[in-house]
Amino acid sequence: MMASSYNAKEEDGHPSGASNHGGAGATKSRKPDNTAFKQQRLPAWQPILTAGTVLPAFFVIGLIFIPIGIGLYVTSNNIKEFEIDYTGVEISSPCYSCAKNFSSNNTTPCLCFVEFTLEQPFESNVFMYYGLSNFYQNHRRYVKSRDDRQLNGDLSALTEPSKECEPYRKSNGLPIAPCGAIANSLFNDTLELYHIDANGSRNIIPLVKKGIAWWTDKHVKFRNPGGNSNLSAVFHDTTKPENWRKPVYELDTSDPDNNGFINEDFIVWMRTAALPTFRKLYRIIQKKSSTTPTLPSGRYILNITYNYPVLSFDGRKRMILSTISWMGGKNPFLGIAYITVGSICFFLGVVLLIIHHKYDTRNNSSADIPN
Amino acid sequence: MLLFLLDLIRLLGGDERRVDSRTIYVGHRSGSTNEAINPPKFCDNRIVSSKYTVWNFLPKNLFEQFRRIANFYFLIIFLVQVIVDTPTSPVTSGLPLFFVITVTAIKQGYEDWLRHKADNEVNKYPVTVLEDGSRIRKESEKIKVGDVVEVDEDETFPCDLILLQSSRDDGTCYVTTASLDGESNHKTHYTVPDAERDLESLNATIECEQPQPDLYKFVGRMHIYTNNQEPAVRSLGPENLLLKGATLKNTQKICGVAVYTGMETKMALNYQGKSQKRSAVEKSINAFLLVYLCILVSKALVCTTLKYVWQSKPGQDEPWYNEKTDTEKNIPLVMLTDFLSFMVLFNFIIPVSMYVTVEMQKFLGSFFITWDKDFFDPEIQEGALVNTSDLNEELGQVEYVFTDKTGTLTQNNMEFIECCIDGFQYKYQDASSELDGFCVTDGPLNKLQQKAGREREELFLRALCLCHTVQMPSPPQEQRGFIASSPDEVALVKGAMRYGFTFLGLESKNMKILNRNNDVEMYELLHVLSFDPVRRRMSVIVRSRAGDTLLFCKGADSSIFPRVRQEEVERIRMHVERNATEGYRTLCVAYKHLSEEEYRQAEEGLKEARLALQDREEKLMAVYNQVETGMSLIGATAVEDRLQEEAAETMEALQGAGIKVWVLTGDKMETAKSTCYACRLFQRHTELLELTVRTLEDGGRRREERLHDLLIEYHKKAVQDAPSVKAANQDYGFIIDGATLSMVLNSSSESNSSRYKNLFLQICFNCTAVLCCRMAPLQKAQIVKMVKNSKGSPITLSIGDGANDVSMILEAHVGIGIKGKEGRQAVRNSDYAIPKLKHLKKLLLAHGHLYYVRIAHLVQYFFYKNLCFILPQFLYQFFCGYSQQPLYDAAYLTMYNICFTSMPILAYSLLEQHICLEVLLDNAILYREIAKNAMLRWGPFLYWTLLGVFHGLLFFFGVRYLFSNPALQDNGQVFGNWSYGTIVFTVLVFTVTLKLALDTRHWTWVNHFVIWGSLAFYVFFSFFWGGIIWPFLRQQRLYFVFANMLSSVSAWLVIILLILLSLLPEILLVVFRKPRGPRARQVELRETHTHLDSLSLSLTLCLSCSHFSLLFMFSMYSKCHDRLSIYFGLFCFLVPPKDSSFLLILPTIHVFPSEMKYICGM
């Protein structure tokens, strides 16, 4: 009765819209929309992970991972890899004199020969890497010291390289092409491989220098200014990096598609390594025929033109020969990891099964009692 | 607050206006002719609620924003990046900061624009001003103090006016103050006597107090000058003052003189920002931030130190291939620069975006309260109202609820139940005739035992009809409705109507009554001695047709009984007390015959008091008290205030949720106690501990002593014996009244006071319910404050509907207003407003719980995801010669928090229902699980941090071992450092997103969309970002890196492995987490915790086993590759010894979460 009298008053005020307190939307109905979203009643999937649903998953993971792991491990073990350190730290080392007597002004290259024996033949394509240790290609000052615009063939950047290239930006007033610390420290040892056959004669093994850089780098990211022809004219107003023996347009005079900025050795070097110990692809030894192995077992000689100093920062240089599988180079880590994780999952699955079994029976019994 | 404001006004007033009053020349005409007008300067009538102008917006807003400590921190980081050569470009931190600042600025600018618009609407509103005899249309903002303003019906007053002239012939006008205090009843205001003449020739000055914010107080005096006579002096009170913002009703037009304008009007003075309330979650965030800041600084310190250790080896600092530039060689303070660079590199650990996300979550999340249709009340056609969104999560943390009684626990919907006349009880029995109660004319009084004399009956009923301030709506309506500020009065008038006396209305100071014989009786209303809470009574003085002057008084028993003849009291006291224990509100009615002489005295006294400028209230009170003596008691009334719907259920649910409910009421103890019983706050077996004036007076000793004894006794009972009591399941209820409370708080000796207070609090904390009755509004706030500041600083919530609850609503952590019948003040000052008490249950148990869980998870997740984001970058420093080389590309650094991982957590924090609403409502006990900030204490924080560390280590070292041979493609080509970072980042994005997916218990389409959408967006973006040679970039670092990564099987395998391995412990924990969901819940509630222990033990065991073997694998691997152990050693710098103990430490880290989860019941 009384409530209704209050109501009447409220409703009377409503049409005019004035009697209500001055909030916005006083006139329109304030009843909230009855939509699922606004009422927080959207249809929802409410997954409840229980031992029952997770247990099979554990077994499945275990069952999938262990074979993958074994596969990876076997694959990795089947990869042949040979590694030889030719830095020349010890006196017995053939490159000792080259390493010791190194000076940057040497005009005559220092040559040394390392002899080694492959115990097992390398069957498929063999990839030749050079490896450096304690070389901080991932140092911040080093990583940023490049001008990608210049490397992409931009003519303005060719003559006016980016500030990031300092202190390898200009030399004697001329812009350096390619500028920057990375380019300046291009790895310039030359490696040649000879097989010594049964009668003691040396046979040079052909090394393919194409296909060692990323395709996109070679064809898009790196470009010579003004096309690949007449490079010496384009680079006329520039100077070579200080540590280089020859200008960029003479990196590979034999092949115009591998010269200048699109030289693959150069491109590979320009992709800075992630860790201070790294390897970079140097050459590919292609399989000649299906019958003979690419590198038969036996004695080999590595012919090194020793140009690259690493002893000043306690670095090491290596030459690595490796075959490659579908997972890349030799790395037992993935195989071990997969086997371990797979085993853990399987083991946990078993443990869980036991626990679940106990838990379930107890659960049922306790739930039954009140009923 | 008001006091402070007043002080401020006084301070601002400065020297020139230090006077306590202002003088206003009506119509700008000088008072006496010989006095030159020296018009004092007052502010103009412009209302300025906006903060900014177009010109000062940018600097002022930026200044305001950078005053926030977080924004300032990010600004500093940004500036460091600009000034110092740092690893990441300033864009990475500048862009998010710019985004945040811009969004906030736009929001604040928009709000300010709205305020400008509202201001303009008010300021440009045309008004009519009478100036030199002509009516001039002006803009509202141009009104000056002293202008005579004309206002038409239904218009709002443009400033505070003194009513001079009304179109109604009785010199009154009606006003609603709905927009000021929400009271929609019509209030009567009076013209100044004698001023209602020709306004053009009116020559008067007004002297009144300086502006003050109290809406209901005004003191002034008007001097009216007539030709060369002594000026006539008229007193001015609040009844003469028309407030800006109020609306003129039922009156064609009025004229008034402006006394307060613009920012000095009472409305403007009342417009004040409420004090900022901060939630407990925010305090936790700040604490966590501090921890992360420490982590950040220590990381930077470690890196800086190690950098110099590393550089000291020859050839490391500057090898021939990597020379420094000249500028780098000459950097001053190299150490400091390095330190700052590291800070910048790791600064992402404290995310800008967390603030944005938290703000957005709060803002958007609060809509769910307003949208909730369960909060919609069809009676008042309104739903819940959210005044602040800062406190959403605090609703899930409430430990104490302070509730008002009238209008909150009860409906404030009064019904006349019975009355007692001269000791005889009259009860209205015929329920069927209730509908048309007023038309019962013969035999309406059902006599139960005996009847009082007919004369007394009629006197009593006349008293009910006359002694009130009820108004009739001016166009008489079909349905009889009354308008009154207090529903009690309506109930009484309606009660009288049922017994045959109908109040017909007030016409030019004459009250018309239709009596039982259908005759109209007329009474001249001489004076109304209005109600106030101190006197607790009101009176009217009327003159009947016969010329008798009568005073009718009604009020609380305690205020009436001392003022009537004692022999009459006993007969009625019994009834009053019985009614009170039944939960009715009782009022006693008395009358007095005033002789001509007495009346004259009273009138003079009243007049004098009303004219007083100083202490008018006190003087009036004295006169009232003097007049209201020697009355004779006629009878008493009992009015029922029914309980709110589901009040008992709500209270029970709150108590079940572990919330302690205190009832703070101004009502008397018996009534309040019965309400408490009705609400089941007190149960039958509850032992009541009373500490009231009555118990203190027992025993005849001094009150102080008695208080002391009782406190000690109760303390012993409720606190010291508590352990044994708990076993016996004995509940205690505590009752205290206002007078005793002030004795406890303001005890004579200082030492006693704090001791009593302590005892009192301890007793209260051990009681299931506490009832504080006879509380003044300020005492309510005092109690809230006392509990708020007690040990453990519990979270308090106040709920009330009336103006008397405002103080406690403002004081408590969370203030809830009920959109009740006592005006809107409570609602306006509250943080949340709901239509009914019953809505509190859903607000706390469902909304509060969910909000808390959501925001707690949001905060923890944010810290976690940024820790495992930055940790690999930190670890990378050990491998890049501490050169601050970032692991991730700048685009990834910037986008990680903005795009890749922000949306899923936002969606989660808006939509998650880890337990669905119904279950939360049905099982109040679930509320206890999150009590005391359970999800944001150091335990869970440690868990999340360790999880972040674990994930970070796993990401980094997993990829690091993969990169021990960087030839990862099947064509023998090698990957570089950006591939490394991209693989880590891919694992990171997928892991943190899937971790959230694992935590999501409530998958709506939105969750699916944002979680899978974010991942898809990441992949898409990476392709896109790496697919184009960007002309604006100096370095194309990521060119085809992502695509090349995906072409490598090994990269795929390691990504899958690492994601799975990181989530493995989580999945395990999810399995063994307490079952959730509607059905599982029931089982779980019955479950004992006994075998959970064995479960967690075995879980711990198998987890540690698994991680032991995992680490064994790592170490095996590092041993078989000799050179790798060097790096492993580097990593061991975190955990010093290299082998076995190191292997033992990590498993414990992983075991930790499992225990943590059980402890915290997450």
Side-chain angles (χ1 to χ4, degrees), chain B residues 950-977:
Chain B
F950 168 57
H951 283 181
L953 289 173
L954 204 61
F955 301 159
F956 184 77
F957 284 103
V959 182
R960 196 242 153 287
Y961 285 121
L962 182 77
F963 264 71
S964 54
N965 183 351
L968 292 169
Q969 281 180 291
D970 56 0
N971 55 10
Q973 292 169 1
V974 293
F975 281 169
N977 64 324

Side-chain angles (χ1 to χ4, degrees), chain B residues 22-26 28-40 203-207 223 225 228 231:
Chain B
R22 52 162 64 179
T23 310
I24 294 140
Y25 300 92
V26 176
H28 308 291
R29 285 178 286 270
S30 100
S32 47
T33 40
N34 50 6
E35 198 180 309
I37 303 182
N38 181 16
N203 197 348
T205 60
I206 291 169
E207 218 175 291
H223 301 268
Y225 301 92
N228 300 327

Side-chain angles (χ1 to χ4, degrees), chain B residues 603-620:
Chain B
E603 194 174 26
E604 257 172 30
L606 286 172
K607 222 174 194 173
E608 197 175 306
R610 279 184 184 148
L611 276 180
L613 266 184
Q614 308 279 324
D615 306 327
R616 181 185 288 176
E617 301 291 321
E618 288 79 359
K619 282 177 187 161
L620 271 177

Side-chain angles (χ1 to χ4, degrees), chain B residues 840-879:
Chain B
L840 187 65
K841 180 179 166 189
K842 192 176 182 190
L843 190 65
L844 295 188
L845 298 190
H847 285 283
H849 190 132
L850 288 180
Y851 281 131
Y852 177 74
V853 170
R854 288 166 182 173
I855 198 136
H857 199 275
L858 166 73
V859 169
Q860 300 278 28
Y861 178 79
F862 245 97
F863 281 114
Y864 149 80
K865 85 177 163 104
N866 281 290
L867 182 63
C868 59
F869 173 48
I870 282 310
L871 190 66
Q873 183 138 287
F874 168 70
L875 294 170
Y876 193 59
Q877 298 311 307
F878 294 80
F879 297 89

Side-chain angles (χ1 to χ4, degrees), chain B residues 328-538:
Chain B
E328 272 172 324
K329 279 177 192 155
N330 301 325
I331 294 175
L333 305 165
V334 200
M335 284 270 223
L336 183 71
T337 319
D338 275 325
F339 176 74
L340 288 178
S341 292
F342 279 118
M343 286 279 282
V344 168
L345 187 66
F346 303 142
N347 90 83
F348 297 90
I349 202 170
I350 296 177
V352 194
S353 56
M354 187 174 75
Y355 286 91
V356 188
T357 316
V358 166
E359 289 287 315
M360 265 162 73
Q361 192 268 348
K362 285 183 170 180
F363 176 70
L364 297 176
S366 61
F367 281 114
F368 284 119
I369 293 179
T370 38
W371 283 339
D372 196 323
K373 71 173 164 43
D374 291 351
F375 292 157
F376 182 75
D377 190 54
E379 217 173 281
I380 59 169
Q381 288 289 311
E382 272 181 68
L385 179 76
V386 178
N387 287 331
T388 171
S389 57
D390 288 340
L391 300 170
N392 292 343
E393 67 275 5
E394 205 86 330
L395 292 172
Q397 290 294 306
V398 174
E399 286 167 77
Y400 286 89
V401 166
F402 298 95
T403 166
D404 175 41
K405 189 182 77 73
T406 316
T408 308
L409 284 176
T410 58
Q411 286 186 353
N412 204 14
N413 186 359
M414 305 297 166
E415 192 160 353
F416 188 87
I417 295 295
E418 61 175 52
C419 61
C420 135
I421 305 173
D422 272 354
F424 300 107
Q425 188 193 16
Y426 291 81
K427 195 159 193 163
Y428 189 72
Q429 278 184 325
D430 194 0
S432 64
S433 63
E434 202 173 40
L435 291 169
D436 47 356
F438 62 90
C439 66
V440 185
T441 44
D442 43 338
L445 255 67
N446 289 293
K447 193 187 72 176
L448 287 183
Q449 298 152 338
Q450 264 181 303
K451 235 175 166 182
R454 188 176 170 83
E455 217 172 290
R456 296 292 280 185
E457 279 175 18
E458 292 192 345
L459 181 68
F460 177 77
L461 292 173
R462 277 192 192 102
L464 291 190
C465 279
L466 293 172
C467 184
H468 57 72
T469 54
V470 172
Q471 291 161 28
M472 303 293 289
S474 67
Q477 288 160 348
E478 296 297 300
Q479 208 181 1
R480 293 259 172 182
F482 296 104
I483 299 169
S485 48
S486 149
D488 291 71
E489 294 199 321
V490 178
L492 290 178
V493 172
K494 291 206 169 183
M497 198 155 79
R498 258 197 240 144
Y499 294 132
F501 273 77
T502 310
F503 173 61
L504 291 179
L506 182 70
E507 251 170 45
S508 55
K509 297 212 165 190
N510 280 312
M511 292 176 110
K512 282 200 288 188
I513 294 175
L514 189 72
N515 70 9
R516 277 192 206 172
N517 308 326
N518 268 340
D519 295 334
V520 176
E521 296 178 17
M522 296 280 272
Y523 293 89
E524 190 190 348
L525 180 63
L526 298 170
H527 285 286
V528 177
L529 315 186
S530 55
F531 178 86
D532 69 66
V534 182
R535 267 164 65 233
R536 300 175 63 82
R537 60 179 180 270
M538 70 148 312

